[in-house]
């Protein structure tokens, strides 16, 4: 995410995403911010406006069959895969959110924009898999 300047905030219309923090019981000191891309405002949501794109995942039957081709198989996991793929600058205005610095509610709100794809956005799986390929 990037903090927005006054000029960026006032330049054009923006879509604000609601969000909340989630803690994992085994990682109590680490917060994960979850954005709600399906939250509706005036009858629509960000997900309603995004195209899903084609399913670029490998079919499970193909994965299982390829496991039988060789004596050794490898798998991998890309950490924070959606956050590895950037959103073009002209689309940052659709990913604005408000944040209190250091969680201090007495401080004035800061305005930020996500610069990467979000988990929960309709288009993110297709875009991330396209970038991977």
């Amino acid at each position: 995410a990037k903090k927005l300047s006054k000029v960026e905030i006032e330049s054009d219309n923006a879509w604000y995403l609601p969000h909340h923090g989630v803690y994992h019981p085994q990682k109590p000191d680490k917060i994960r911010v979850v954005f709600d891309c399906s939250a509706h405002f005036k009858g629509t949501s960000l997900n309603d406006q995004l195209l899903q794109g084609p399913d670029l995942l490998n079919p499970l039957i193909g994965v299982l069959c390829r496991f039988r081709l060789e004596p050794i198989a490898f798998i991998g996991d890309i950490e924070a895969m959606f956050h590895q793929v950037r959103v073009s600058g002209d689309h940052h205005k659709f990913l604005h959110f408000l944040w209190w610095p250091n969680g201090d509610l007495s401080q004035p709100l800061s305005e930020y924009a996500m610069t990467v794809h979000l988990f929960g956005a309709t288009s993110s799986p297709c875009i991330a898999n396209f970038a991977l390929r």
Side-chain angles (χ1 to χ4, degrees):
K2 71 173 185 172
K3 188 172 183 176
L4 299 174
S5 67
K6 291 279 188 197
V7 174
E8 290 173 308
I9 293 169
E10 297 168 354
S11 64
D12 52 16
N13 293 333
W15 186 266
Y16 288 86
L17 292 168
H19 56 81
H20 63 279
V22 175
Y23 290 96
H24 191 280
Q26 296 176 350
K27 302 175 188 174
D29 297 336
K30 186 176 180 182
I31 188 171
R32 181 171 54 100
V33 179
V34 177
F35 292 92
D36 187 359
C37 298
S38 62
H40 281 79
F41 176 73
K42 293 187 177 181
T44 192
S45 71
L46 179 62
N47 277 346
D48 290 342
Q49 303 304 314
L50 294 173
L51 297 175
Q52 182 176 355
D55 182 7
L56 298 177
L57 292 175
N58 289 320
L60 183 57
I61 191 72
V63 172
L64 293 174
C65 288
R66 284 191 297 279
F67 267 110
R68 299 188 64 174
L69 293 177
E70 302 292 336
I72 299 173
F74 291 93
I75 62 169
D77 183 21
I78 299 173
E79 186 175 337
M81 183 170 174
F82 296 160
H83 288 178
Q84 304 293 331
V85 183
R86 296 209 180 270
V87 173
S88 64
D90 54 335
H91 292 160
H92 290 176
K93 66 184 177 182
F94 303 114
L95 302 173
H96 284 206
F97 65 97
L98 303 174
W99 194 262
W100 278 279
N102 300 319
D104 185 0
L105 301 180
S106 65
Q107 299 269 340
L109 277 172
S110 297
E111 192 164 329
Y112 288 83
M114 289 300 291
T115 59
V116 294
H117 287 275
L118 300 173
F119 185 81
T122 298
S123 59
S124 293
C126 177
I127 293 169
N129 278 299
F130 181 80
L132 177 64
R133 289 176 181 220

